[in-house]
PDB file of all heavy atoms in Angstrom:
ATOM      1  N   MET A  32       0.846  -1.173   0.000  1.00 58.00           N
ATOM      2  CA  MET A  32       0.000   0.000   0.000  1.00 58.00           C
ATOM      3  C   MET A  32       0.894   1.241   0.000  1.00 58.00           C
ATOM      4  O   MET A  32       1.824   1.326   0.792  1.00 58.00           O
ATOM      5  CB  MET A  32      -0.890  -0.034   1.237  1.00 58.00           C
ATOM      6  CG  MET A  32      -1.634   1.225   1.464  1.00 58.00           C
ATOM      7  SD  MET A  32      -2.673   1.204   2.923  1.00 58.00           S
ATOM      8  CE  MET A  32      -1.633   0.504   4.140  1.00 58.00           C
ATOM      9  N   PRO A  33       0.597   2.199  -0.862  1.00 67.00           N
ATOM     10  CA  PRO A  33       1.391   3.431  -0.868  1.00 67.00           C
ATOM     11  C   PRO A  33       1.171   4.243   0.412  1.00 67.00           C
ATOM     12  O   PRO A  33       0.172   4.081   1.099  1.00 67.00           O
ATOM     13  CB  PRO A  33       0.884   4.186  -2.097  1.00 67.00           C
ATOM     14  CG  PRO A  33      -0.416   3.572  -2.440  1.00 67.00           C
ATOM     15  CD  PRO A  33      -0.425   2.184  -1.881  1.00 67.00           C
ATOM     16  N   ASP A  34       2.140   5.080   0.702  1.00 80.00           N
ATOM     17  CA  ASP A  34       2.065   5.923   1.894  1.00 80.00           C
ATOM     18  C   ASP A  34       0.921   6.931   1.750  1.00 80.00           C
ATOM     19  O   ASP A  34       0.679   7.465   0.668  1.00 80.00           O
ATOM     20  CB  ASP A  34       3.394   6.649   2.085  1.00 80.00           C
ATOM     21  CG  ASP A  34       3.511   7.289   3.449  1.00 80.00           C
ATOM     22  OD1 ASP A  34       2.630   7.049   4.293  1.00 80.00           O
ATOM     23  OD2 ASP A  34       4.489   8.011   3.661  1.00 80.00           O
ATOM     24  N   LEU A  35       0.241   7.205   2.838  1.00 86.00           N
ATOM     25  CA  LEU A  35      -0.909   8.112   2.816  1.00 86.00           C
ATOM     26  C   LEU A  35      -0.521   9.530   2.413  1.00 86.00           C
ATOM     27  O   LEU A  35      -1.333  10.255   1.855  1.00 86.00           O
ATOM     28  CB  LEU A  35      -1.596   8.106   4.179  1.00 86.00           C
ATOM     29  CG  LEU A  35      -2.947   8.800   4.269  1.00 86.00           C
ATOM     30  CD1 LEU A  35      -3.947   8.182   3.311  1.00 86.00           C
ATOM     31  CD2 LEU A  35      -3.476   8.737   5.682  1.00 86.00           C
ATOM     32  N   LYS A  36       0.720   9.923   2.644  1.00 85.00           N
ATOM     33  CA  LYS A  36       1.123  11.281   2.283  1.00 85.00           C
ATOM     34  C   LYS A  36       1.121  11.502   0.774  1.00 85.00           C
ATOM     35  O   LYS A  36       1.117  12.636   0.319  1.00 85.00           O
ATOM     36  CB  LYS A  36       2.489  11.616   2.866  1.00 85.00           C
ATOM     37  CG  LYS A  36       3.642  10.859   2.268  1.00 85.00           C
ATOM     38  CD  LYS A  36       4.934  11.269   2.926  1.00 85.00           C
ATOM     39  CE  LYS A  36       6.092  10.450   2.381  1.00 85.00           C
ATOM     40  NZ  LYS A  36       7.330  10.764   3.060  1.00 85.00           N
ATOM     41  N   HIS A  37       1.087  10.411  -0.008  1.00 86.00           N
ATOM     42  CA  HIS A  37       1.046  10.542  -1.469  1.00 86.00           C
ATOM     43  C   HIS A  37      -0.380  10.536  -2.016  1.00 86.00           C
ATOM     44  O   HIS A  37      -0.574  10.698  -3.213  1.00 86.00           O
ATOM     45  CB  HIS A  37       1.846   9.414  -2.131  1.00 86.00           C
ATOM     46  CG  HIS A  37       3.286   9.427  -1.751  1.00 86.00           C
ATOM     47  ND1 HIS A  37       4.131  10.466  -2.067  1.00 86.00           N
ATOM     48  CD2 HIS A  37       4.032   8.539  -1.053  1.00 86.00           C
ATOM     49  CE1 HIS A  37       5.334  10.211  -1.587  1.00 86.00           C
ATOM     50  NE2 HIS A  37       5.308   9.047  -0.958  1.00 86.00           N
ATOM     51  N   ALA A  38      -1.351  10.353  -1.138  1.00 90.00           N
ATOM     52  CA  ALA A  38      -2.753  10.314  -1.567  1.00 90.00           C
ATOM     53  C   ALA A  38      -3.295  11.730  -1.751  1.00 90.00           C
ATOM     54  O   ALA A  38      -2.783  12.691  -1.183  1.00 90.00           O
ATOM     55  CB  ALA A  38      -3.590   9.575  -0.531  1.00 90.00           C
ATOM     56  N   ARG A  39      -4.369  11.809  -2.530  1.00 92.00           N
ATOM     57  CA  ARG A  39      -5.048  13.095  -2.710  1.00 92.00           C
ATOM     58  C   ARG A  39      -5.622  13.556  -1.374  1.00 92.00           C
ATOM     59  O   ARG A  39      -5.930  12.753  -0.502  1.00 92.00           O
ATOM     60  CB  ARG A  39      -6.184  12.962  -3.730  1.00 92.00           C
ATOM     61  CG  ARG A  39      -5.706  12.729  -5.125  1.00 92.00           C
ATOM     62  CD  ARG A  39      -6.815  12.764  -6.174  1.00 92.00           C
ATOM     63  NE  ARG A  39      -7.947  11.896  -5.883  1.00 92.00           N
ATOM     64  CZ  ARG A  39      -9.169  12.335  -5.609  1.00 92.00           C
ATOM     65  NH1 ARG A  39      -9.444  13.621  -5.568  1.00 92.00           N
ATOM     66  NH2 ARG A  39     -10.141  11.492  -5.373  1.00 92.00           N
ATOM     67  N   PRO A  40      -5.803  14.881  -1.186  1.00 94.00           N
ATOM     68  CA  PRO A  40      -6.331  15.395   0.089  1.00 94.00           C
ATOM     69  C   PRO A  40      -7.682  14.793   0.478  1.00 94.00           C
ATOM     70  O   PRO A  40      -7.919  14.531   1.658  1.00 94.00           O
ATOM     71  CB  PRO A  40      -6.441  16.902  -0.151  1.00 94.00           C
ATOM     72  CG  PRO A  40      -5.418  17.187  -1.190  1.00 94.00           C
ATOM     73  CD  PRO A  40      -5.377  15.970  -2.075  1.00 94.00           C
ATOM     74  N   ALA A  41      -8.563  14.546  -0.482  1.00 94.00           N
ATOM     75  CA  ALA A  41      -9.873  13.974  -0.154  1.00 94.00           C
ATOM     76  C   ALA A  41      -9.731  12.559   0.402  1.00 94.00           C
ATOM     77  O   ALA A  41     -10.456  12.174   1.326  1.00 94.00           O
ATOM     78  CB  ALA A  41     -10.764  13.965  -1.388  1.00 94.00           C
ATOM     79  N   ILE A  42      -8.803  11.786  -0.113  1.00 94.00           N
ATOM     80  CA  ILE A  42      -8.582  10.434   0.397  1.00 94.00           C
ATOM     81  C   ILE A  42      -7.970  10.493   1.790  1.00 94.00           C
ATOM     82  O   ILE A  42      -8.356   9.734   2.682  1.00 94.00           O
ATOM     83  CB  ILE A  42      -7.697   9.621  -0.573  1.00 94.00           C
ATOM     84  CG1 ILE A  42      -8.441   9.382  -1.883  1.00 94.00           C
ATOM     85  CG2 ILE A  42      -7.280   8.293   0.058  1.00 94.00           C
ATOM     86  CD1 ILE A  42      -7.618   8.711  -2.950  1.00 94.00           C
ATOM     87  N   ARG A  43      -7.031  11.400   2.005  1.00 92.00           N
ATOM     88  CA  ARG A  43      -6.439  11.552   3.338  1.00 92.00           C
ATOM     89  C   ARG A  43      -7.507  11.916   4.360  1.00 92.00           C
ATOM     90  O   ARG A  43      -7.531  11.397   5.478  1.00 92.00           O
ATOM     91  CB  ARG A  43      -5.339  12.613   3.318  1.00 92.00           C
ATOM     92  CG  ARG A  43      -4.083  12.154   2.629  1.00 92.00           C
ATOM     93  CD  ARG A  43      -2.906  13.056   2.938  1.00 92.00           C
ATOM     94  NE  ARG A  43      -3.115  14.443   2.621  1.00 92.00           N
ATOM     95  CZ  ARG A  43      -2.708  15.049   1.504  1.00 92.00           C
ATOM     96  NH1 ARG A  43      -2.051  14.369   0.593  1.00 92.00           N
ATOM     97  NH2 ARG A  43      -2.947  16.320   1.306  1.00 92.00           N
ATOM     98  N   GLN A  44      -8.413  12.821   3.987  1.00 94.00           N
ATOM     99  CA  GLN A  44      -9.472  13.211   4.908  1.00 94.00           C
ATOM    100  C   GLN A  44     -10.410  12.043   5.190  1.00 94.00           C
ATOM    101  O   GLN A  44     -10.804  11.826   6.343  1.00 94.00           O
ATOM    102  CB  GLN A  44     -10.256  14.393   4.344  1.00 94.00           C
ATOM    103  CG  GLN A  44     -11.307  14.886   5.312  1.00 94.00           C
ATOM    104  CD  GLN A  44     -12.041  16.102   4.811  1.00 94.00           C
ATOM    105  OE1 GLN A  44     -12.106  16.349   3.616  1.00 94.00           O
ATOM    106  NE2 GLN A  44     -12.609  16.857   5.732  1.00 94.00           N
ATOM    107  N   LEU A  45     -10.760  11.273   4.174  1.00 94.00           N
ATOM    108  CA  LEU A  45     -11.618  10.102   4.365  1.00 94.00           C
ATOM    109  C   LEU A  45     -10.974   9.116   5.337  1.00 94.00           C
ATOM    110  O   LEU A  45     -11.620   8.648   6.271  1.00 94.00           O
ATOM    111  CB  LEU A  45     -11.882   9.425   3.014  1.00 94.00           C
ATOM    112  CG  LEU A  45     -12.601   8.082   3.065  1.00 94.00           C
ATOM    113  CD1 LEU A  45     -14.015   8.259   3.591  1.00 94.00           C
ATOM    114  CD2 LEU A  45     -12.599   7.427   1.694  1.00 94.00           C
ATOM    115  N   VAL A  46      -9.706   8.819   5.148  1.00 93.00           N
ATOM    116  CA  VAL A  46      -9.008   7.870   6.022  1.00 93.00           C
ATOM    117  C   VAL A  46      -8.934   8.401   7.450  1.00 93.00           C
ATOM    118  O   VAL A  46      -9.155   7.654   8.410  1.00 93.00           O
ATOM    119  CB  VAL A  46      -7.605   7.551   5.458  1.00 93.00           C
ATOM    120  CG1 VAL A  46      -6.771   6.787   6.459  1.00 93.00           C
ATOM    121  CG2 VAL A  46      -7.728   6.772   4.160  1.00 93.00           C
ATOM    122  N   ARG A  47      -8.661   9.676   7.623  1.00 92.00           N
ATOM    123  CA  ARG A  47      -8.610  10.259   8.977  1.00 92.00           C
ATOM    124  C   ARG A  47      -9.971  10.175   9.676  1.00 92.00           C
ATOM    125  O   ARG A  47     -10.052   9.859  10.865  1.00 92.00           O
ATOM    126  CB  ARG A  47      -8.128  11.696   8.912  1.00 92.00           C
ATOM    127  CG  ARG A  47      -6.653  11.798   8.636  1.00 92.00           C
ATOM    128  CD  ARG A  47      -6.161  13.235   8.723  1.00 92.00           C
ATOM    129  NE  ARG A  47      -4.805  13.317   8.228  1.00 92.00           N
ATOM    130  CZ  ARG A  47      -4.426  14.037   7.177  1.00 92.00           C
ATOM    131  NH1 ARG A  47      -5.293  14.771   6.527  1.00 92.00           N
ATOM    132  NH2 ARG A  47      -3.171  14.040   6.782  1.00 92.00           N
ATOM    133  N   LEU A  48     -11.038  10.477   8.935  1.00 93.00           N
ATOM    134  CA  LEU A  48     -12.381  10.378   9.509  1.00 93.00           C
ATOM    135  C   LEU A  48     -12.698   8.947   9.917  1.00 93.00           C
ATOM    136  O   LEU A  48     -13.245   8.694  10.997  1.00 93.00           O
ATOM    137  CB  LEU A  48     -13.424  10.885   8.514  1.00 93.00           C
ATOM    138  CG  LEU A  48     -13.475  12.386   8.264  1.00 93.00           C
ATOM    139  CD1 LEU A  48     -14.376  12.698   7.085  1.00 93.00           C
ATOM    140  CD2 LEU A  48     -13.942  13.117   9.500  1.00 93.00           C
ATOM    141  N   LEU A  49     -12.362   7.989   9.066  1.00 93.00           N
ATOM    142  CA  LEU A  49     -12.643   6.588   9.368  1.00 93.00           C
ATOM    143  C   LEU A  49     -11.830   6.101  10.563  1.00 93.00           C
ATOM    144  O   LEU A  49     -12.335   5.363  11.404  1.00 93.00           O
ATOM    145  CB  LEU A  49     -12.370   5.717   8.142  1.00 93.00           C
ATOM    146  CG  LEU A  49     -13.353   5.888   6.978  1.00 93.00           C
ATOM    147  CD1 LEU A  49     -12.884   5.101   5.777  1.00 93.00           C
ATOM    148  CD2 LEU A  49     -14.750   5.477   7.387  1.00 93.00           C
ATOM    149  N   ASN A  50     -10.576   6.502  10.646  1.00 91.00           N
ATOM    150  CA  ASN A  50      -9.740   6.093  11.788  1.00 91.00           C
ATOM    151  C   ASN A  50     -10.296   6.659  13.092  1.00 91.00           C
ATOM    152  O   ASN A  50     -10.341   5.970  14.110  1.00 91.00           O
ATOM    153  CB  ASN A  50      -8.295   6.542  11.592  1.00 91.00           C
ATOM    154  CG  ASN A  50      -7.553   5.664  10.629  1.00 91.00           C
ATOM    155  OD1 ASN A  50      -7.888   4.507  10.443  1.00 91.00           O
ATOM    156  ND2 ASN A  50      -6.540   6.217   9.998  1.00 91.00           N
ATOM    157  N   PHE A  51     -10.725   7.922  13.076  1.00 90.00           N
ATOM    158  CA  PHE A  51     -11.277   8.532  14.285  1.00 90.00           C
ATOM    159  C   PHE A  51     -12.576   7.846  14.689  1.00 90.00           C
ATOM    160  O   PHE A  51     -12.778   7.499  15.852  1.00 90.00           O
ATOM    161  CB  PHE A  51     -11.505  10.024  14.071  1.00 90.00           C
ATOM    162  CG  PHE A  51     -12.166  10.694  15.233  1.00 90.00           C
ATOM    163  CD1 PHE A  51     -11.485  10.878  16.427  1.00 90.00           C
ATOM    164  CD2 PHE A  51     -13.476  11.134  15.141  1.00 90.00           C
ATOM    165  CE1 PHE A  51     -12.095  11.486  17.505  1.00 90.00           C
ATOM    166  CE2 PHE A  51     -14.092  11.748  16.214  1.00 90.00           C
ATOM    167  CZ  PHE A  51     -13.404  11.922  17.402  1.00 90.00           C
ATOM    168  N   ARG A  52     -13.477   7.635  13.739  1.00 89.00           N
ATOM    169  CA  ARG A  52     -14.776   7.042  14.057  1.00 89.00           C
ATOM    170  C   ARG A  52     -14.661   5.559  14.401  1.00 89.00           C
ATOM    171  O   ARG A  52     -15.539   5.002  15.053  1.00 89.00           O
ATOM    172  CB  ARG A  52     -15.759   7.244  12.902  1.00 89.00           C
ATOM    173  CG  ARG A  52     -16.119   8.692  12.658  1.00 89.00           C
ATOM    174  CD  ARG A  52     -16.795   9.300  13.865  1.00 89.00           C
ATOM    175  NE  ARG A  52     -17.046  10.721  13.645  1.00 89.00           N
ATOM    176  CZ  ARG A  52     -18.108  11.350  14.089  1.00 89.00           C
ATOM    177  NH1 ARG A  52     -19.007  10.730  14.804  1.00 89.00           N
ATOM    178  NH2 ARG A  52     -18.258  12.625  13.856  1.00 89.00           N
ATOM    179  N   ALA A  53     -13.587   4.898  14.001  1.00 88.00           N
ATOM    180  CA  ALA A  53     -13.392   3.488  14.353  1.00 88.00           C
ATOM    181  C   ALA A  53     -13.193   3.322  15.858  1.00 88.00           C
ATOM    182  O   ALA A  53     -13.449   2.250  16.405  1.00 88.00           O
ATOM    183  CB  ALA A  53     -12.204   2.918  13.596  1.00 88.00           C
ATOM    184  N   THR A  54     -12.759   4.373  16.532  1.00 86.00           N
ATOM    185  CA  THR A  54     -12.565   4.293  17.982  1.00 86.00           C
ATOM    186  C   THR A  54     -13.892   4.211  18.723  1.00 86.00           C
ATOM    187  O   THR A  54     -13.897   3.928  19.920  1.00 86.00           O
ATOM    188  CB  THR A  54     -11.770   5.507  18.505  1.00 86.00           C
ATOM    189  OG1 THR A  54     -12.515   6.697  18.253  1.00 86.00           O
ATOM    190  CG2 THR A  54     -10.411   5.589  17.841  1.00 86.00           C
ATOM    191  N   TYR A  55     -15.015   4.445  18.043  1.00 84.00           N
ATOM    192  CA  TYR A  55     -16.327   4.388  18.680  1.00 84.00           C
ATOM    193  C   TYR A  55     -16.830   2.955  18.821  1.00 84.00           C
ATOM    194  O   TYR A  55     -17.841   2.708  19.467  1.00 84.00           O
ATOM    195  CB  TYR A  55     -17.352   5.198  17.894  1.00 84.00           C
ATOM    196  CG  TYR A  55     -17.156   6.698  17.955  1.00 84.00           C
ATOM    197  CD1 TYR A  55     -15.970   7.261  18.390  1.00 84.00           C
ATOM    198  CD2 TYR A  55     -18.166   7.549  17.565  1.00 84.00           C
ATOM    199  CE1 TYR A  55     -15.801   8.630  18.434  1.00 84.00           C
ATOM    200  CE2 TYR A  55     -18.000   8.922  17.619  1.00 84.00           C
ATOM    201  CZ  TYR A  55     -16.821   9.447  18.048  1.00 84.00           C
ATOM    202  OH  TYR A  55     -16.651  10.800  18.108  1.00 84.00           O
ATOM    203  N   GLY A  56     -16.179   1.991  18.178  1.00 84.00           N
ATOM    204  CA  GLY A  56     -16.540   0.590  18.335  1.00 84.00           C
ATOM    205  C   GLY A  56     -17.641   0.086  17.423  1.00 84.00           C
ATOM    206  O   GLY A  56     -18.081  -1.045  17.563  1.00 84.00           O
ATOM    207  N   ARG A  57     -18.093   0.899  16.481  1.00 87.00           N
ATOM    208  CA  ARG A  57     -19.116   0.466  15.520  1.00 87.00           C
ATOM    209  C   ARG A  57     -18.632   0.797  14.120  1.00 87.00           C
ATOM    210  O   ARG A  57     -17.859   1.729  13.930  1.00 87.00           O
ATOM    211  CB  ARG A  57     -20.446   1.176  15.808  1.00 87.00           C
ATOM    212  CG  ARG A  57     -21.058   0.777  17.130  1.00 87.00           C
ATOM    213  CD  ARG A  57     -22.468   1.336  17.270  1.00 87.00           C
ATOM    214  NE  ARG A  57     -22.506   2.793  17.202  1.00 87.00           N
ATOM    215  CZ  ARG A  57     -22.561   3.594  18.250  1.00 87.00           C
ATOM    216  NH1 ARG A  57     -22.554   3.098  19.460  1.00 87.00           N
ATOM    217  NH2 ARG A  57     -22.612   4.898  18.107  1.00 87.00           N
ATOM    218  N   PRO A  58     -19.099   0.053  13.113  1.00 90.00           N
ATOM    219  CA  PRO A  58     -18.625   0.304  11.753  1.00 90.00           C
ATOM    220  C   PRO A  58     -19.199   1.588  11.160  1.00 90.00           C
ATOM    221  O   PRO A  58     -20.262   2.058  11.572  1.00 90.00           O
ATOM    222  CB  PRO A  58     -19.119  -0.914  10.967  1.00 90.00           C
ATOM    223  CG  PRO A  58     -20.321  -1.384  11.718  1.00 90.00           C
ATOM    224  CD  PRO A  58     -20.030  -1.074  13.166  1.00 90.00           C
ATOM    225  N   SER A  59     -18.495   2.143  10.193  1.00 92.00           N
ATOM    226  CA  SER A  59     -19.001   3.268   9.409  1.00 92.00           C
ATOM    227  C   SER A  59     -19.577   2.700   8.120  1.00 92.00           C
ATOM    228  O   SER A  59     -19.221   1.597   7.687  1.00 92.00           O
ATOM    229  CB  SER A  59     -17.874   4.245   9.076  1.00 92.00           C
ATOM    230  OG  SER A  59     -17.383   4.850  10.243  1.00 92.00           O
ATOM    231  N   TYR A  60     -20.466   3.462   7.501  1.00 94.00           N
ATOM    232  CA  TYR A  60     -21.121   3.011   6.277  1.00 94.00           C
ATOM    233  C   TYR A  60     -20.947   4.056   5.187  1.00 94.00           C
ATOM    234  O   TYR A  60     -20.761   5.241   5.459  1.00 94.00           O
ATOM    235  CB  TYR A  60     -22.619   2.788   6.516  1.00 94.00           C
ATOM    236  CG  TYR A  60     -22.911   1.619   7.421  1.00 94.00           C
ATOM    237  CD1 TYR A  60     -22.971   1.785   8.795  1.00 94.00           C
ATOM    238  CD2 TYR A  60     -23.120   0.350   6.897  1.00 94.00           C
ATOM    239  CE1 TYR A  60     -23.228   0.718   9.634  1.00 94.00           C
ATOM    240  CE2 TYR A  60     -23.380  -0.725   7.728  1.00 94.00           C
ATOM    241  CZ  TYR A  60     -23.435  -0.535   9.096  1.00 94.00           C
ATOM    242  OH  TYR A  60     -23.683  -1.591   9.922  1.00 94.00           O
ATOM    243  N   ILE A  61     -21.068   3.602   3.947  1.00 95.00           N
ATOM    244  CA  ILE A  61     -21.033   4.491   2.788  1.00 95.00           C
ATOM    245  C   ILE A  61     -22.239   4.145   1.918  1.00 95.00           C
ATOM    246  O   ILE A  61     -22.560   2.977   1.735  1.00 95.00           O
ATOM    247  CB  ILE A  61     -19.697   4.342   2.009  1.00 95.00           C
ATOM    248  CG1 ILE A  61     -19.487   5.478   1.045  1.00 95.00           C
ATOM    249  CG2 ILE A  61     -19.574   3.042   1.295  1.00 95.00           C
ATOM    250  CD1 ILE A  61     -18.888   6.681   1.670  1.00 95.00           C
ATOM    251  N   LYS A  62     -22.964   5.155   1.478  1.00 93.00           N
ATOM    252  CA  LYS A  62     -24.063   4.989   0.526  1.00 93.00           C
ATOM    253  C   LYS A  62     -23.693   5.802  -0.698  1.00 93.00           C
ATOM    254  O   LYS A  62     -23.132   6.888  -0.561  1.00 93.00           O
ATOM    255  CB  LYS A  62     -25.374   5.530   1.092  1.00 93.00           C
ATOM    256  CG  LYS A  62     -25.991   4.686   2.171  1.00 93.00           C
ATOM    257  CD  LYS A  62     -27.246   5.366   2.678  1.00 93.00           C
ATOM    258  CE  LYS A  62     -28.411   4.426   2.614  1.00 93.00           C
ATOM    259  NZ  LYS A  62     -29.661   5.051   3.024  1.00 93.00           N
ATOM    260  N   TRP A  63     -23.983   5.309  -1.895  1.00 91.00           N
ATOM    261  CA  TRP A  63     -23.642   6.112  -3.061  1.00 91.00           C
ATOM    262  C   TRP A  63     -24.668   6.038  -4.170  1.00 91.00           C
ATOM    263  O   TRP A  63     -25.439   5.106  -4.283  1.00 91.00           O
ATOM    264  CB  TRP A  63     -22.266   5.805  -3.582  1.00 91.00           C
ATOM    265  CG  TRP A  63     -21.960   4.398  -4.027  1.00 91.00           C
ATOM    266  CD1 TRP A  63     -22.738   3.542  -4.750  1.00 91.00           C
ATOM    267  CD2 TRP A  63     -20.749   3.707  -3.788  1.00 91.00           C
ATOM    268  NE1 TRP A  63     -22.093   2.379  -4.968  1.00 91.00           N
ATOM    269  CE2 TRP A  63     -20.868   2.455  -4.402  1.00 91.00           C
ATOM    270  CE3 TRP A  63     -19.575   4.030  -3.150  1.00 91.00           C
ATOM    271  CZ2 TRP A  63     -19.848   1.512  -4.374  1.00 91.00           C
ATOM    272  CZ3 TRP A  63     -18.578   3.092  -3.127  1.00 91.00           C
ATOM    273  CH2 TRP A  63     -18.712   1.855  -3.732  1.00 91.00           C
ATOM    274  N   LEU A  64     -24.663   7.084  -4.947  1.00 89.00           N
ATOM    275  CA  LEU A  64     -25.426   7.182  -6.187  1.00 89.00           C
ATOM    276  C   LEU A  64     -24.428   7.125  -7.328  1.00 89.00           C
ATOM    277  O   LEU A  64     -23.286   6.715  -7.146  1.00 89.00           O
ATOM    278  CB  LEU A  64     -26.211   8.493  -6.228  1.00 89.00           C
ATOM    279  CG  LEU A  64     -27.355   8.632  -5.234  1.00 89.00           C
ATOM    280  CD1 LEU A  64     -27.971  10.014  -5.335  1.00 89.00           C
ATOM    281  CD2 LEU A  64     -28.419   7.584  -5.473  1.00 89.00           C
ATOM    282  N   GLU A  65     -24.827   7.586  -8.490  1.00 87.00           N
ATOM    283  CA  GLU A  65     -23.949   7.495  -9.654  1.00 87.00           C
ATOM    284  C   GLU A  65     -22.656   8.293  -9.490  1.00 87.00           C
ATOM    285  O   GLU A  65     -21.588   7.823  -9.848  1.00 87.00           O
ATOM    286  CB  GLU A  65     -24.701   7.981 -10.891  1.00 87.00           C
ATOM    287  CG  GLU A  65     -23.960   7.701 -12.171  1.00 87.00           C
ATOM    288  CD  GLU A  65     -24.804   7.985 -13.389  1.00 87.00           C
ATOM    289  OE1 GLU A  65     -26.030   8.103 -13.272  1.00 87.00           O
ATOM    290  OE2 GLU A  65     -24.213   8.089 -14.452  1.00 87.00           O
ATOM    291  N   TYR A  66     -22.733   9.506  -8.936  1.00 91.00           N
ATOM    292  CA  TYR A  66     -21.546  10.357  -8.834  1.00 91.00           C
ATOM    293  C   TYR A  66     -21.177  10.778  -7.423  1.00 91.00           C
ATOM    294  O   TYR A  66     -20.120  11.333  -7.208  1.00 91.00           O
ATOM    295  CB  TYR A  66     -21.727  11.630  -9.674  1.00 91.00           C
ATOM    296  CG  TYR A  66     -21.884  11.342 -11.140  1.00 91.00           C
ATOM    297  CD1 TYR A  66     -23.098  11.518 -11.769  1.00 91.00           C
ATOM    298  CD2 TYR A  66     -20.808  10.875 -11.886  1.00 91.00           C
ATOM    299  CE1 TYR A  66     -23.250  11.240 -13.118  1.00 91.00           C
ATOM    300  CE2 TYR A  66     -20.944  10.599 -13.222  1.00 91.00           C
ATOM    301  CZ  TYR A  66     -22.171  10.785 -13.843  1.00 91.00           C
ATOM    302  OH  TYR A  66     -22.298  10.496 -15.165  1.00 91.00           O
ATOM    303  N   GLN A  67     -22.051  10.568  -6.458  1.00 93.00           N
ATOM    304  CA  GLN A  67     -21.778  11.067  -5.117  1.00 93.00           C
ATOM    305  C   GLN A  67     -21.936   9.956  -4.084  1.00 93.00           C
ATOM    306  O   GLN A  67     -22.633   8.973  -4.318  1.00 93.00           O
ATOM    307  CB  GLN A  67     -22.685  12.236  -4.785  1.00 93.00           C
ATOM    308  CG  GLN A  67     -24.145  11.977  -5.020  1.00 93.00           C
ATOM    309  CD  GLN A  67     -24.939  13.265  -4.995  1.00 93.00           C
ATOM    310  OE1 GLN A  67     -24.430  14.305  -4.641  1.00 93.00           O
ATOM    311  NE2 GLN A  67     -26.200  13.190  -5.351  1.00 93.00           N
ATOM    312  N   ALA A  68     -21.269  10.129  -2.960  1.00 94.00           N
ATOM    313  CA  ALA A  68     -21.311   9.146  -1.875  1.00 94.00           C
ATOM    314  C   ALA A  68     -21.538   9.886  -0.559  1.00 94.00           C
ATOM    315  O   ALA A  68     -21.083  11.009  -0.382  1.00 94.00           O
ATOM    316  CB  ALA A  68     -20.011   8.360  -1.823  1.00 94.00           C
ATOM    317  N   ALA A  69     -22.229   9.236   0.360  1.00 94.00           N
ATOM    318  CA  ALA A  69     -22.505   9.805   1.680  1.00 94.00           C
ATOM    319  C   ALA A  69     -21.846   8.932   2.733  1.00 94.00           C
ATOM    320  O   ALA A  69     -22.015   7.713   2.737  1.00 94.00           O
ATOM    321  CB  ALA A  69     -24.011   9.867   1.922  1.00 94.00           C
TER     322      ALA A  69
END
């Protein structure tokens, strides 16, 4: 896996959010349409 510092800013932010929310003990979810994701 490449180092996170080489990722685009949006990917870095996604990973940081997921790492923080993983400490809550429940999974995170993603829902998406054709061009956007929640």
Side-chain angles (χ1 to χ4, degrees):
M32 170 180 45
D34 193 8
L35 190 59
K36 68 180 177 184
H37 299 297
R39 291 187 308 114
I42 293 174
R43 287 195 304 263
Q44 184 177 24
L45 172 65
V46 169
R47 286 186 190 118
L48 288 170
L49 290 173
N50 283 335
F51 176 70
R52 294 299 176 144
T54 62
Y55 290 16
R57 294 189 300 261
S59 294
Y60 292 88
I61 195 84
K62 287 178 127 183
W63 60 42
L64 292 176
E65 190 171 344
Y66 298 109
Q67 51 194 351

